[in-house]
Amino acid sequence: MAATGVGAGCLAPSVRLRADPATAARASACVVRARLRRLARGRYVAELSREGPAARPAQQQQLAPPLVPGFLAPPPPAPAQSPAPTQPPLPDAGVGELAPDLLLEGIAEDSIDSIIVAASEQDSEIMDANEQPQAKVTRSIVFVTGEAAPYAKSGGLGDVCGSLPIALAARGHRVMVVMPRYLNGSSDKNYAKALYTGKHIKIPCFGGSHEVTFFHEYRDNVDWVFVDHPSYHRPGSLYGDNFGAFGDNQFRYTLLCYAACEAPLILELGGYIYGQNCMFVVNDWHASLVPVLLAAKYRPYGVYRDSRSTLVIHNLAHQGVEPASTYPDLGLPPEWYGALEWVFPEWARRHALDKGEAVNFLKGAVVTADRIVTVSQGYSWEVTTAEGGQGLNELLSSRKSVLNGIVNGIDINDWNPTTDKCLPHHYSVDDLSGKAKCKAELQKELGLPVREDVPLIGFIGRLDYQKGIDLIKMAIPELMREDVQFVMLGSGDPIFEGWMRSTESSYKDKFRGWVGFSVPVSHRITAGCDILLMPSRFEPCGLNQLYAMQYGTVPVVHGTGGLRDTVETFNPFGAKGEEGTGWAFSPLTVDKMLWGIANRDV
Ligand SMILES: Nc1ncnc2c1ncn2[C@@H]1O[C@H](COP(=O)(O)OP(=O)(O)O[C@H]2O[C@H](CO)[C@@H](O)[C@H](O)[C@H]2O)[C@@H](O)[C@H]1O
Ligand SMILES: OC[C@H]1O[C@H](O[C@H]2[C@H](O)[C@@H](O)[C@@H](O[C@H]3[C@H](O)[C@@H](O)[C@@H](O)O[C@@H]3CO)O[C@@H]2CO)[C@H](O)[C@@H](O)[C@@H]1O
């Protein structure tokens, strides 16, 4: 099938390998228009409000719940309820109860916000004077995460946890984000405005009592809380270095979870604590001990009885699994072992005497969180299958009644081709000339021949099995026979880093492999390329294809998970303006991928 011509082929130039610049511009315009229509329908984007330092929301002043000492400062008999005048109580959770049917309505709507606001029909939204949706009933929300941009980011988790809290605060919720204060030489300056709160606690775990302190910055109406401990101060990336993942990650994120449970009880932010009546949003395995701690260590003492927790699964590939012998280190009551218990199947064990006994943080949250959300609807189904469930499929299936998928939004203040500070030129759907200039500048920056008429293909991502780099590696010899240019930006698996470097020297005029992590370069690639390639083996949501569609760059993706949910394959016979936004190929083979790029055999 050759997609040519303007009417039928609004994606044609980028989909075909040989594009002429005029049709390329029309193609990009068409994709951008489709993207803007989606924005108008509010399908992808959590519209964020960043109107400068705003006053603390009024409800924050009213929400001063009675002071309840934190668990780690041994509590006196706690009050049975912590009434908060503006928040109706959430449905009862009970002590350590699994899967109460909570937050009943509206889960599969447009954003994670719907989980939080949909606890009762009173929670429906209203608009303020600026057409900014406002929650009718506001809540205290505590995000717990291993990363959040711009403080620390290793991938998409950082993007979402850096922007969704701001979007929720703009709707009137009181929002806190709790994450580590990583000092590794490169991220230190990002924490410069975070001040020591004067609060410190001692956490009883791993055979000792470990002091952590709290830092705080109030920005974009969100309380950013940073947990400080020497184990977060070391060179390398957030979770590891050249030698692999850090050996004490279980310890580091155990500290984070304990600290996150204490923060709402002890930190007076803007003069008031958050208190017990809050909604914890726990992201991935790093935060997964939070619902276990709530159930095992707080609710039995009457603390946090009215709190609720939502587990957000960004990526089931990382579960925080360690030997069963580490369980006593976690400071949990012995009778709660079952919540974390994890037995590897025989084929995955290392030797005949290995019983495969382990503890699994993510599993702990799967069985104790009140709600579970994945970052797209497609992925919420995939995680219940043997192929996509990474061993947790049966457990997740058993929790189907509280499992939903909500596609990620993107931050259109950061990712906006009309204002993007990382770009040499700006452009919009009405005038795409700046995109062609961005392409030329990118080619110059990369030392590639500056040519309008050659399709420039990009890849951005962690060099990980998940992202299908091996497929790109297999396809490169064939692809490089064509008149194309290819740029890859990524870091991760040293084998693929080495391959990128050597491929660059084999195809000097056609291929560039930028090994490293650079947010500005990722913006310039997104803007300057004609096509963004994402052959992910699995993809819970994926953000780069959303950024690409926002920048008039055609995504060519493997039709899986969130990629299938968000990229509409080009259909020349579609109604005008509904011809699609990219190309989703399946199954995941080299031939299909090349067909997706070229729209013909390569
Ligand atoms: N070398 C580099 N230099 C600069 N920037 C780089 C980079 N490598 C990656 N990035 C950036 O990191 C982010 C990656 O986000 P993705 O959603 O595509 O994948 P990730 O697998 O990390 O996230 C997981 O969580 C997110 C959020 O829920 C899900 O969308 C996704 O499917 C899931 O796997 C993008 O902002 C990208 O630009
Ligand atoms: O935002 C990008 C991803 O960040 C997180 O993934 C990290 C993961 O949580 C860490 O544990 C670590 O993963 C290591 C893994 O634990 C270890 O067994 C070994 O396989 O090496 C892995 C890499 O060091 O790093 C991951 C990031 O690379 C987050 O959980 C994901 O959702 C995000 O996609």
Side-chain angles (χ1 to χ4, degrees):
M1 178 171 63
T4 53
V6 180
C10 73
L11 299 184
S14 299
V15 171
R16 287 182 308 138
L17 284 179
R18 289 191 185 79
D20 80 277
T23 39
R26 280 195 294 274
S28 293
C30 184
V31 173
V32 172
R33 265 184 228 113
R35 175 87 189 107
L36 293 179
R37 275 196 304 279
R38 263 168 203 78
L39 295 189
R41 294 208 299 266
R43 270 184 58 187
Y44 297 148
V45 175
E47 303 266 2
L48 306 184
S49 152
R50 292 226 177 117
E51 287 150 0
R56 277 175 183 263
Q59 79 281 1
Q60 194 160 328
Q61 318 298 328
Q62 302 156 14
L63 275 180
L67 187 74
V68 179
F71 172 79
L72 298 173
Q81 295 286 333
S82 64
T86 59
Q87 297 189 114
L90 291 160
D92 190 23
V95 175
E97 192 179 322
L98 302 190
D101 189 13
L102 299 173
L103 311 175
L104 300 171
E105 302 287 331
I107 290 298
E109 289 170 12
D110 277 344
S111 79
I112 285 179
D113 194 21
S114 57
I115 313 168
I116 292 148
V117 297
S120 76
E121 60 183 19
Q122 296 154 294
D123 286 354
S124 60
E125 288 176 347
I126 49 176
M127 294 287 176
D128 72 3
N130 304 319
E131 291 289 291
Q132 163 69 48
Q134 292 292 301
K136 231 183 194 174
V137 176
T138 55
R139 304 212 174 271
S140 296
I141 302 172
V142 181
F143 271 74
V144 189
T145 176
E147 57 186 271
Y151 305 102
K153 161 174 162 177
S154 81
L157 173 64
D159 284 359
V160 172
C161 291
S163 57
L164 181 58
I166 299 171
L168 290 170
R171 290 174 185 229
H173 300 289
R174 189 183 187 198
V175 187
M176 174 197 302
V177 178
V178 186
M179 64 177 282
R181 183 167 175 264
Y182 298 106
L183 302 183
N184 55 20
S186 58
S187 63
D188 307 16
K189 58 184 183 312
N190 303 339
Y191 296 92
K193 291 191 181 145
L195 303 177
Y196 176 49
T197 58
K199 294 282 182 191
H200 53 102
I201 54 171
K202 289 201 165 153
I203 297 175
C205 63
F206 286 80
S209 174
H210 305 274
E211 184 167 271
V212 302
T213 56
F214 293 93
F215 284 66
H216 172 245
E217 178 183 356
Y218 185 67
R219 178 180 58 80
D220 290 323
N221 299 322
V222 171
D223 288 302
W224 303 90
V225 170
F226 306 107
V227 179
D228 197 47
H229 183 269
S231 66
Y232 301 137
H233 306 171
R234 61 175 64 143
S237 68
L238 310 183
Y239 312 112
D241 57 18
N242 291 342
F243 301 102
F246 293 133
D248 60 350
N249 276 344
Q250 190 194 42
F251 169 66
R252 298 166 84 220
Y253 296 103
T254 298
L255 292 185
L256 174 70
C257 292
Y258 272 97
C261 290
E262 287 296 296
L265 304 177
I266 64 166
L267 296 182
E268 290 172 26
L269 304 173
Y272 299 93
I273 62 165
Y274 273 56
Q276 296 186 52
N277 189 359
C278 51
M279 160 70 81
F280 286 92
V281 180
V282 303
N283 295 276
D284 277 357
W285 79 265
H286 319 104
S288 285
L289 221 46
V290 166
V292 183
L293 291 170
L294 296 179
K297 298 206 70 154
Y298 286 86
R299 289 191 185 131
Y301 297 92
V303 182
Y304 279 134
R305 291 190 78 116
D306 293 326
S307 71
R308 297 292 178 268
S309 58
T310 295
L311 166 67
V312 183
I313 300 178
H314 298 262
N315 192 340
L316 211 50
H318 305 293
Q319 300 182 7
V321 180
E322 296 291 343
S325 56
T326 60
Y327 183 78
D329 293 336
L330 306 179
L332 289 166
E335 64 273 20
W336 277 86
Y337 176 70
L340 299 187
E341 182 180 19
W342 184 247
V343 182
F344 281 106
E346 265 179 45
W347 62 262
R349 299 181 197 171
R350 272 177 282 194
H351 51 79
L353 298 179
D354 182 354
K355 294 196 183 122
E357 290 168 357
V359 288
N360 181 328
F361 273 31
L362 193 69
K363 182 221 160 176
V366 168
V367 300
T368 54
D370 299 306
R371 285 274 170 167
I372 304 170
V373 181
T374 64
V375 288
S376 68
Q377 280 199 0
Y379 195 58
S380 75
W381 171 76
E382 287 176 11
V383 298
T384 63
T385 67
E387 293 80 5
Q390 311 257 3
L392 283 172
N393 41 303
E394 285 180 13
L395 213 45
L396 284 162
S397 298
S398 75
R399 301 227 55 201
K400 258 184 191 160
S401 62
V402 294
L403 169 68
N404 284 280
I406 301 168
V407 82
N408 280 329
I410 63 171
D411 182 340
I412 54 167
N413 290 314
D414 271 1
W415 290 90
N416 183 344
T418 65
T419 54
D420 191 329
K421 291 193 190 73
C422 304
L423 300 188
H425 302 278
H426 292 135
Y427 58 93
S428 71
V429 66
D430 300 318
D431 178 5
L432 284 161
S433 54
K435 183 165 172 64
K437 291 182 192 157
C438 286
K439 176 174 174 178
E441 290 291 338
L442 180 64
Q443 288 168 323
K444 220 183 282 173
E445 177 179 351
L446 297 171
L448 289 168
V450 178
R451 286 176 52 199
E452 266 184 319
D453 62 337
V454 62
L456 179 51
I457 306 168
F459 169 91
I460 303 164
R462 293 177 297 107
L463 302 179
D464 186 290
Y465 171 81
Q466 173 189 350
K467 302 293 177 184
I469 323 289
D470 48 337
L471 210 76
I472 298 181
K473 184 171 174 243
M474 282 189 281
I476 279 294
E478 272 177 80
L479 197 53
M480 290 292 104
R481 280 200 280 274
E482 299 288 320
D483 186 21
V484 294
Q485 295 175 343
F486 200 128
V487 52
M488 290 181 74
L489 167 66
S491 58
D493 188 330
I495 293 177
F496 287 113
E497 290 185 350
W499 169 78
M500 274 164 58
R501 290 192 181 99
S502 65
T503 306
E504 179 168 315
S505 49
S506 307
Y507 304 100
K508 290 202 174 63
D509 278 352
K510 291 188 162 186
F511 184 93
R512 286 293 173 276
W514 209 105
V515 176
F517 195 95
S518 167
V519 172
V521 175
S522 74
H523 283 241
R524 291 201 286 277
I525 290 178
T526 306
C529 284
D530 299 298
I531 298 174
L532 191 89
L533 183 61
M534 293 182 73
S536 304
R537 195 159 264 111
F538 66 95
E539 197 58 82
C541 175
L543 296 174
N544 289 319
Q545 83 282 10
L546 303 181
Y547 300 146
M549 291 189 281
Q550 174 83 343
Y551 279 59
T553 303
V554 178
V556 174
V557 304
H558 174 215
T560 181
L563 297 176
R564 185 172 44 203
D565 286 5
T566 56
V567 175
E568 287 169 27
T569 286
F570 171 65
N571 169 13
F573 307 108
K576 187 147 178 52
E578 300 290 335
E579 294 95 340
T581 58
W583 209 273
F585 64 88
S586 184
L588 185 66
T589 63
V590 169
D591 285 351
K592 280 283 182 186
M593 183 178 80
L594 291 172
W595 179 266
I597 296 170
N599 217 237
R600 61 175 169 74
D601 286 325
V602 168

